[in-house]
Amino acid sequence: MLPYGRQSIAESDVEAVAEVLRGDWLTTGPAVGRFEAELARWTGGVPCVSVTSGTAALHVAYVAAGVRAGDEVVTSPLTFVATAATAALLGARVLFADVQPDTGNLDPDAVTALAGPRTRAVTAVDYAGHPADYDELRTAADSAGAVLVSDAAHSIGAAYKDRPVGALADLTTFSFFPTKTVTTAEGGAVAAADPSLLLRAARFRNHGLVRDPAEQREPDVGGWHQEVHEFGLNYRLPDVLCALGLSQLRRLESFRERRSELVARYNTLLRDVPGLTLPAQRAYVRPSWHLYPVRVGDGRRREVYERMRAAGIGVQVNYVPSYWHPVFEDLGYRRGLCPQAEAYYAEELSLPLFPDLTDAQQDRVVETLTGILT
């Protein structure tokens, strides 16, 4: 089965991990700082805090933003459920705003219509690796007095109006799951330019521990002393995984370029296939393509999905609208809430896209899909 996504592991990645295993640090050690510093090169210098997953990154970001019970978080339904679930777990009411029909990204006008005085955060999702319209979303968030969050699980290395992802929102979250552009096996990160937001994120990922005597309430106890002022969790990404991530980040540009080449080939090879809508790209955006999402018309998406997989091609559907999940249905959310997102989901199919995908394998995907549709 040809997968829709796959990690790219080189001997340099293996050696980087082996070097840590031969050393003294497995958990929090020097590789963590090096990884975070290298990641900050891709965010335009915005400092980063590494965590154990993209989901943990969202949880940490919402805590740093001050999301609490009774607050509202406005976000997209066209995303993995964690974008909304981590806010709901903090007691927030999630308001789902509709998406733009061409990019699948959060529609700023829909956000403006929903955001109000109780809105604590507006969370955009860079669907498929194409950055959302952050200038308009910034205006919508500021008008509501809300923190702007970017779920950039798909878009590391991308840029919006010549500004890098990671420098576009108050808080940006990354995911390093194996199908993502860069992997640490499991892992994530939070980027924040505001020192107070970064400090809250860093503390929450480490049990809320305060170790600086200048900030402790009982400072003159001894070198072992540490305090918890606010509850946190253990979301620390260990040295062994940060070593893998650091090695991967050094290949990010080549990963991004190969994915871009494959997207350009798909665009050329599929442009005349009937019943198929190809992904859009704004002129002012440089995507970092994580997915290649096509839309299959005429109600044939399920047929195409099943026939492609029967042919050994691992297409995927991204995503079931978040509020369709029973956990949100049980909270009173109903279908029909975001018509554009639901229409996008009804037709969406992600074709294989990863750096090690060969031209010959891509040709096979195209020939199989074209044969089904024509």
Side-chain angles (χ1 to χ4, degrees), residues 258 262 265 354-363:
R258 177 55 179 162
L262 290 165
R265 286 192 89 241
F354 50 92
D356 295 334
L357 184 71
T358 67
D359 287 359
Q361 289 172 323
Q362 187 179 36
D363 289 342

Side-chain angles (χ1 to χ4, degrees), residues 265-287:
R265 286 192 89 241
Y266 270 138
N267 287 344
T268 298
L269 296 169
L270 294 173
R271 63 188 175 190
D272 296 323
V273 177
L276 202 63
T277 301
L278 306 187
Q281 179 178 338
R282 300 276 189 263
Y284 47 82
V285 162
R286 186 191 74 173

Side-chain angles (χ1 to χ4, degrees), residues 21 25 27 47 53 86 122 157-158 160 243 272 277 292-293 344-345 364 370:
L21 292 173
W25 297 91
T27 55
S53 69
T86 45
V122 172
Y160 166 84
D272 296 323
T277 301
Y292 187 79
Y344 196 104
Y345 161 70
R364 176 186 159 210
T370 303

Side-chain angles (χ1 to χ4, degrees), residues 99-134:
V99 302
Q100 298 165 330
D102 56 347
T103 65
N105 281 332
L106 193 62
D107 185 339
D109 290 338
V111 172
T112 300
L114 286 176
R118 297 176 65 182
T119 302
R120 185 62 186 166
V122 172
T123 304
V125 177
D126 295 339
Y127 183 80
H130 186 294
D133 281 318
Y134 282 99

Side-chain angles (χ1 to χ4, degrees), residues 138-373:
R138 168 63 71 188
T139 298
D142 287 351
S143 296
V147 174
L148 181 59
V149 180
S150 168
D151 181 341
H154 293 184
S155 61
I156 186 171
Y160 166 84
K161 298 183 179 179
D162 297 322
R163 286 143 43 206
V165 165
L168 302 170
D170 299 307
L171 291 152
T172 303
T173 67
F174 297 102
S175 171
F176 306 121
F177 191 71
T179 57
K180 301 301 193 297
T181 303
V182 165
T183 187
T184 58
E186 290 278 5
V190 179
D194 185 325
S196 63
L197 293 177
L198 189 73
L199 178 60
R200 291 198 71 191
R203 282 186 176 168
F204 186 76
R205 67 98 183 251
N206 190 28
H207 299 286
L209 292 174
V210 178
R211 288 176 169 155
D212 184 351
E215 300 178 13
Q216 292 175 347
R217 296 182 188 176
E218 193 177 4
D220 192 20
V221 176
W224 67 86
H225 185 62
Q226 52 191 3
E227 300 175 350
V228 174
H229 296 181
E230 294 182 272
F231 290 124
L233 295 170
N234 179 3
Y235 279 154
R236 300 187 305 264
L237 192 64
D239 247 41
V240 66
L241 298 186
C242 283
L244 172 58
L246 178 59
S247 179
Q248 289 263 305
L249 281 173
R250 289 169 177 162
R251 298 160 61 207
L252 173 53
E253 186 56 34
S254 65
F255 288 159
R256 199 197 67 77
E257 288 179 358
R258 177 55 179 162
R259 286 173 176 269
S260 182
E261 290 171 1
L262 290 165
V263 167
R265 286 192 89 241
Y266 270 138
N267 287 344
T268 298
L269 296 169
L270 294 173
R271 63 188 175 190
D272 296 323
V273 177
L276 202 63
T277 301
L278 306 187
Q281 179 178 338
R282 300 276 189 263
Y284 47 82
V285 162
R286 186 191 74 173
S288 184
W289 292 107
H290 163 57
L291 302 173
Y292 187 79
V294 299
R295 294 181 65 165
V296 181
D298 303 320
R300 298 187 65 190
R301 195 269 307 273
R302 180 169 181 174
E303 173 205 346
V304 173
Y305 171 88
E306 292 176 348
R307 291 178 65 179
M308 291 288 282
R309 291 184 72 87
I313 297 173
V315 293
Q316 186 57 281
V317 172
N318 304 97
Y319 297 93
V320 174
S322 294
Y323 57 83
W324 282 22
H325 289 285
V327 66
F328 280 105
E329 289 184 342
D330 291 348
L331 291 172
Y333 293 80
R334 294 292 177 261
R335 299 188 182 199
L337 187 61
C338 297
Q340 295 290 355
E342 294 182 20
Y344 196 104
Y345 161 70
E347 296 182 342
E348 196 277 338
L349 194 70
S350 298
L351 304 185
L353 184 68
F354 50 92
D356 295 334
L357 184 71
T358 67
D359 287 359
Q361 289 172 323
Q362 187 179 36
D363 289 342
R364 176 186 159 210
V365 174
V366 170
E367 290 166 6
T368 305
L369 179 60
T370 303
I372 293 170
L373 287 174

